[in-house]
Amino acid sequence: MPRATRETNVYRRDARANHKLLTPAEREKLIQPYLPSPPSRSPTRETKEGFRDRPIRKSRLGLRNFFKAQLHALLYAIIHTIFSIYIRIRVAYHAVKDRVFAVLYYHHRTPELIQKDVKGLKRKPEHLSVVLKLEDEARGGAGLEALVDEAAEVAAWCACAGIPMLSIYEPTGILKGYVPATHRAISRKLSSYFGPQHPALTLRAPHVPSMESPSTPTSDSPEISQKQLSVLLLSAEDGRDSLVDLTKTLTEMSQRSKLSPSDISVDLVDAELSESVMGEPNLLILFGPNVELSGYPPWQLRLTEIFHVQDNQGVGYQVFLRALYNYANAQMRFGR
Amino acid sequence: MSMSVRNFFLSSPPVEWAVNQLRELLIGALRQGPIPQHVAFVMDGNRRFARTHKMETVEGHNLGFEALARILEVCYKSGVRTVTVYAFSIENFNRSKYEVDALMEMAKVKLQQLSQHGELLDRYGASVRVLGSRTMLKPDVLAAIDKAVEMTQNNGDAVLNICFPYTSRDEITTAIKKTVEDYSTPLHSQARPFSQTRITQKIRSRNLSTSPLASSPLRASSPAPSSISDLDESVSSSTTLHPDSPPTDSRSHNNAIYQDPETITSETLDQHMFTAGNPPLDLLVRTSGVNRLSDFMLWQCHENTKMVFLDCLWPDFDLWQFLPVLVEWQWQQKYLEDKSVGKVGASKSAKALKVR
């Protein structure tokens, strides 16, 4: 978009000659008409001189500024009115689209259907991560129940789609307090999908005594027992706090001369964090309406593909599936 | 054909003037609402832009620089305090030598050019900082960086952080390293010009008539917390009486007192990041349709930062692409405000009143 075509051309010629064409003064002259008025930092610079002609000048400027401000405020109101109309339409459009997707792609709790949905994908994430939110902390029980159910659903989809590793991030960490109950809920969900012979499940959380799945069903059928799903529960304390904890440990070691600060490298930190928290997920799915990480572990997020559906609310199978399609760079069509 | 007609139309003076007026008007209107204080950009897509427009890669980077200049103008005019841009990743050193050299040269020339306009920068109060791993740069580029940074360091109104050879993991590791170094330096330096034994001797030789309590302030030489100084007093009163005091002294010498590692918090690390002192990151924009952070601002944007991934390529990025992002951000701020006001009952609003 040409803002000042002549000046841009002069600038580009100068730039191509490695800025040897113009002198600094000439360059300043070039941009002079486009400079805004400098920010007023010291309004009380001149106090006594120019006292006489100042009031007039000030009032005229003040009036002009007043009108300008009014114009800006009006325009601001107009922009936001238009925008709020636009966003309502957008939300409605997305809601309809999501509904259509949800109807067209429904799993019917059938692993075969999910497998068919993901069959054509060129690549699948080895490690999938999702962010879940605890709704309505005030009502406690209901929110927690919904959260556990969502976690179990996502785990079941992963097991069907053949994703071996799932990490569930939930900021408050309430799930970590109910590891056995969550384990039971996921197992139940898996058996409702797969029947009695469902894939083995491991549920663990960092810093919590690892819950080796005692209730792993002893399925003798080899093709199913190959399938393994490990679920990791994360919370806000595995984010920045884990880096802080690592720093504390390193500091202690350094104070006792067991380590020199120059030994601290990216590899060391990475090894420690993937040991104690987790490695890098390949794909992160956000079920919220926009991209906000709300305290997700920062270190592990380096190259993770972040997926969200604009204006989406809530955990849905179609979001999960769209994320996988997006990850595989595949087009999703209406209809299977 | 139609493209050239369009360009001709847009570059005709009256249209150009009108477009510029409109820009100013829109920016002025934006200023009426809340404005993100810290915005970060991943300037992605220069190379693809060059490829699709059949030009040299370096030319794409040049156009990218122009886009940066345009967007900085929009940001600062609308009231953004700090802008952080991802200019060069440590990983980018793996690109062709030709391209790396060209980018380095470009950075050097632009920074040198910047340094020639010190007076202009002073007037607008912009300060430039270069974040990243300095050791990977050549001396001539470093010199250009240092000059530009030094010239503008006292300008505090607007900040431009250029992440030059940067990765976020490198930044976090550096912050951890610096914190560990900080906490591994003993609290009090041992090389003070005063010798404790000499003082003890002097006290002992000069007076035995004054009470041992009076001498204790002299002995309490360490700036330690009060609980320790209490203990010190009792020790000192005994040492002034007994000659076998040196053991306790030497113990405190060898075991230098360190800051307690438990006092390290995420704020401590925050203060050791390259972005220390900047407002929290409000908005992160990445162009060219890639939904990844690519090792940029991992630490900074993990909390409430809003991230936006746009499909347009960076050289195409301008006010017209940025405006919807800003408006949506403003809209969300208002929405959040309304929600928090509506949700919290009388108790919180009373609290808010008290704060006010």
Side-chain angles (χ1 to χ4, degrees):
Chain A
M1 187 96 356
R3 280 211 54 209
T5 320
R6 194 182 66 82
E7 283 83 352
T8 310
N9 286 337
V10 174
Y11 165 80
R12 281 188 187 159
R13 233 178 303 134
D14 181 38
R16 215 160 290 144
N18 250 341
H19 298 286
K20 284 178 190 121
L21 222 58
L22 301 177
T23 64
E26 279 173 326
R27 239 176 273 138
E28 280 185 21
K29 225 175 105 193
L30 195 65
I31 55 164
Q32 204 62 52
Y34 300 96
L35 288 174
S37 53
S40 54
R41 260 170 295 173
S42 46
T44 55
R45 192 172 287 166
E46 31 190 320
T47 38
K48 274 178 190 162
E49 30 170 341
F51 186 76
R52 211 167 294 156
D53 63 352
R54 243 192 118 175
I56 308 162
R57 221 176 72 210
K58 201 182 167 192
S59 78
R60 244 184 58 211
L61 260 179
L63 204 64
R64 205 165 135 200
N65 282 342
F66 173 76
F67 278 122
K68 218 177 191 175
Q70 290 296 309
L71 183 62
H72 287 159
L74 179 70
L75 196 57
Y76 176 76
I78 293 173
I79 289 175
H80 273 270
T81 313
I82 295 173
F83 186 79
S84 66
I85 296 169
Y86 157 74
I87 202 132
R88 291 220 166 94
I89 295 171
R90 197 182 77 185
V91 167
Y93 166 72
H94 281 138
V96 170
K97 193 175 163 194
D98 292 352
R99 258 342 282 161
V100 170
F101 268 118
V103 169
L104 288 178
Y105 291 90
Y106 186 65
H107 48 74
H108 296 286
R109 299 198 167 190
T110 320
E112 286 74 27
L113 271 181
I114 297 178
Q115 275 154 17
K116 206 176 128 206
D117 279 340
V118 300
K119 206 171 71 186
L121 298 181
K122 272 191 228 87
R123 60 169 190 165
K124 269 186 286 180
E126 282 294 304
H127 177 178
L128 175 82
S129 201
V130 293
V131 175
L132 299 180
K133 286 270 163 67
L134 177 67
E135 300 293 335
D136 275 337
E137 294 154 62
R139 274 190 289 141
L144 178 64
E145 214 167 284
L147 184 69
V148 171
D149 189 58
E150 283 169 359
E153 281 282 349
V154 177
W157 301 334
C158 281
C160 298
I163 296 165
M165 171 83 194
L166 167 72
S167 50
I168 299 172
Y169 175 79
E170 193 281 314
T172 61
I174 189 168
L175 279 182
K176 281 184 178 179
Y178 299 92
V179 172
T182 311
H183 189 279
R184 232 175 298 129
I186 298 178
S187 296
R188 218 178 302 133
K189 189 68 83 177
L190 284 178
S191 47
S192 84
Y193 273 71
F194 285 90
Q197 290 189 327
H198 65 76
L201 167 73
T202 330
L203 182 68
R204 63 185 187 89
H207 315 307
V208 170
S210 171
M211 163 105 189
E212 282 304 319
S213 58
S215 59
T216 305
T218 48
S219 52
D220 296 324
S221 153
E223 58 165 326
I224 286 185
S225 67
Q226 274 170 11
K227 274 194 187 168
Q228 246 275 354
L229 174 69
S230 71
V231 180
L232 178 67
L233 301 176
L234 298 169
S235 71
E237 63 178 19
D238 302 310
R240 281 188 176 185
D241 287 349
S242 66
L243 283 162
V244 172
D245 284 342
L246 177 62
T247 313
K248 283 180 187 169
T249 312
L250 292 172
T251 305
E252 257 168 33
M253 287 172 74
S254 161
Q255 288 179 351
R256 290 183 197 145
S257 312
K258 283 185 193 163
L259 163 143
S260 138
S262 58
D263 294 336
I264 300 170
S265 65
V266 173
D267 294 331
L268 175 82
V269 178
D270 191 39
E272 280 308 308
L273 282 178
S274 34
E275 180 76 22
S276 77
V277 182
M278 63 164 180
E280 293 177 47
N282 306 111
L283 172 64
L284 172 69
I285 305 179
L286 305 169
F287 290 103
N290 45 49
V291 189
E292 264 188 21
L293 295 174
S294 34
Y296 193 87
W299 181 270
Q300 286 85 348
L301 211 56
R302 182 174 65 134
L303 297 174
T304 306
E305 193 93 21
I306 301 168
F307 183 84
H308 88 295
V309 171
Q310 209 174 26
D311 300 325
N312 173 68
Q313 286 292 359
V315 180
Y317 174 67
Q318 40 98 10
V319 177
F320 173 81
L321 201 59
R322 276 157 89 176
L324 291 186
Y325 271 76
N326 189 277
Y327 182 75
N329 274 330
Q331 276 291 318
M332 207 156 146
R333 298 205 172 75
F334 284 96
R336 287 178 201 253
Chain B
M1 183 63 193
S2 67
M3 190 70 186
S4 67
V5 169
R6 186 170 155 262
N7 274 342
F8 177 77
F9 173 72
L10 281 172
S11 62
S12 67
V15 175
E16 201 175 277
W17 180 85
V19 168
N20 285 344
Q21 281 315 101
L22 182 63
R23 282 176 76 103
E24 295 300 316
L25 208 59
L26 286 172
I27 292 171
L30 277 179
R31 283 186 74 102
Q32 302 292 314
I35 285 288
Q37 287 305 291
H38 187 171
V39 182
F41 294 102
V42 182
M43 308 187 286
D44 200 2
N46 291 344
R47 298 205 293 177
R48 212 192 309 166
F49 184 88
R51 223 177 302 134
T52 51
H53 287 73
K54 299 206 169 47
M55 49 171 84
E56 270 199 77
T57 317
V58 178
E59 194 63 15
H61 288 306
N62 262 320
L63 288 173
F65 179 80
E66 283 180 30
L68 173 65
R70 279 197 306 261
I71 213 68
L72 285 179
E73 186 191 346
V74 174
C75 284
Y76 292 133
K77 271 186 183 171
S78 56
V80 177
R81 276 288 151 100
T82 308
V83 177
T84 303
V85 295
Y86 202 1
F88 194 84
S89 160
I90 290 175
E91 306 288 322
N92 287 356
F93 279 112
N94 297 330
R95 288 185 185 172
S96 75
K97 187 177 179 301
Y98 176 70
E99 196 189 340
V100 171
D101 286 349
L103 277 168
M104 288 290 158
E105 183 65 21
M106 188 172 141
K108 194 179 90 181
V109 169
K110 303 287 181 206
L111 284 166
Q112 278 169 347
Q113 199 195 340
L114 195 80
S115 307
Q116 292 169 354
H117 304 288
E119 187 262 336
L120 211 64
L121 290 168
D122 281 348
R123 201 187 322 156
Y124 289 96
S127 87
V128 176
R129 290 171 202 167
V130 178
L131 319 183
S133 169
R134 297 171 54 92
T135 48
M136 293 179 163
L137 291 173
K138 287 189 186 134
D140 56 333
V141 182
L142 267 182
I145 289 177
D146 285 340
K147 179 137 189 254
V149 170
E150 192 200 350
M151 272 188 65
T152 59
Q153 64 181 350
N154 291 324
N155 301 335
D157 285 359
V159 177
L160 171 63
N161 291 323
I162 306 170
C163 295
F164 197 34
Y166 172 95
T167 59
S168 197
R169 285 192 164 187
D170 176 64
E171 180 188 24
I172 295 174
T173 310
T174 311
I176 293 178
K177 204 188 282 184
K178 278 194 223 154
T179 312
V180 171
E181 272 167 12
D182 263 17
Y183 277 71
S184 304
T185 40
L187 270 181
H188 47 229
S189 56
Q190 280 141 14
R192 282 207 203 102
F194 302 104
S195 144
Q196 297 198 0
T197 42
R198 197 176 63 211
I199 294 171
T200 326
Q201 273 167 7
K202 227 170 237 170
I203 295 165
R204 213 181 293 141
S205 65
R206 200 197 295 160
N207 61 63
L208 285 163
S209 56
T210 40
S211 72
L213 252 167
S215 69
S216 60
L218 283 168
R219 281 283 290 121
S221 57
S222 65
S226 56
S227 61
I228 294 178
S229 73
D230 276 349
L231 191 125
D232 214 27
E233 256 172 34
S234 67
V235 169
S236 72
S237 60
S238 68
T239 49
T240 38
L241 294 176
H242 303 291
D244 48 73
S245 56
T248 52
D249 268 347
S250 67
R251 183 190 55 96
S252 73
H253 264 268
N254 287 343
N255 275 15
I257 296 168
Y258 295 111
Q259 288 184 72
D260 185 6
E262 289 306 312
T263 57
I264 297 174
T265 60
S266 67
E267 282 75 41
T268 321
L269 281 178
D270 223 18
Q271 284 153 16
H272 287 91
M273 294 288 159
F274 295 144
T275 52
N278 293 147
L281 190 58
D282 290 320
L283 184 62
L284 183 136
V285 179
R286 174 161 196 168
T287 52
S288 92
V290 178
N291 300 6
R292 257 173 279 148
L293 283 173
S294 301
D295 223 336
F296 181 60
M297 297 278 119
L298 299 177
W299 174 268
Q300 288 82 352
C301 72
H302 97 139
E303 203 78 56
N304 294 320
T305 307
K306 193 183 174 231
M307 301 199 289
V308 180
F309 301 109
L310 297 173
D311 283 334
C312 81
L313 301 176
W314 179 256
D316 285 327
F317 193 58
D318 198 355
L319 175 66
W320 316 111
Q321 283 79 29
F322 193 38
L323 187 75
V325 175
L326 274 179
V327 173
E328 185 160 357
W329 189 86
Q330 288 185 326
W331 186 83
Q332 272 172 353
Q333 293 310 105
K334 267 199 307 190
Y335 178 74
L336 285 176
E337 221 168 76
D338 291 351
K339 210 170 88 177
S340 67
V341 166
K343 206 180 196 177
V344 191
S347 62
K348 273 265 174 82
S349 63
K351 207 169 159 192
L353 277 174
K354 225 188 280 167
V355 169
R356 236 174 263 155

